[in-house]
């Protein structure tokens, strides 16, 4: 199992990052791999409700959302 840890804080090395690193240690002790993704300082467009993602399985806006979604398992 692998867990994607998402840091939404604009401070990449702030308190949120510290808290997430503590969680990653807990997961590691349990034998679970983690990957941290820093998103707090990146431009991510809001959803416009266009519904295109239902057809194409990706957002019409090419940003971190599509990159992150590609790392997640497929669900039907």
């Amino acid at each position: 199992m692998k867990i994607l840890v998402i840091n939404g804080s604009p401070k990449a090395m702030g308190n949120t990052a510290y808290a997430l690193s503590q969680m990653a240690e807990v997961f590691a002790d349990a034998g679970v791999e983690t990957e941290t993704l820093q998103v707090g300082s990146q431009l991510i467009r809001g959803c416009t409700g266009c519904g295109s993602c239902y057809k194409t399985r990706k957002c019409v806006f090419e940003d971190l959302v599509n990159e992150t979604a590609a790392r997640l398992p497929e669900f039907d």
Side-chain angles (χ1 to χ4, degrees), residues 1 19-21 23 25 27 31 51 62 66 68-70 75:
M1 177 188 301
L20 294 175
S21 74
M23 292 297 300
E25 284 184 29
F27 291 133
E62 286 298 328
N66 287 333
T68 303
F75 293 102

Side-chain angles (χ1 to χ4, degrees), residues 4-68:
L4 180 62
V5 179
I6 300 175
N7 185 350
S9 171
K11 297 180 181 178
M13 301 304 288
N15 291 329
T16 302
Y18 176 74
L20 294 175
S21 74
Q22 295 299 298
M23 292 297 300
E25 284 184 29
V26 171
F27 291 133
D29 290 344
V32 177
E33 182 182 358
T34 61
E35 176 184 353
T36 302
L37 180 63
Q38 173 64 33
V39 301
S41 59
Q42 298 193 36
L43 178 63
I44 299 174
R45 298 276 309 254
C47 180
T48 62
C50 71
S52 180
C53 59
Y54 287 108
K55 299 172 190 163
T56 64
R57 310 284 286 180
K58 63 182 261 184
C59 184
V60 295
F61 302 116
E62 286 298 328
D63 59 18
L64 189 62
V65 171
N66 287 333
E67 180 184 325
T68 303

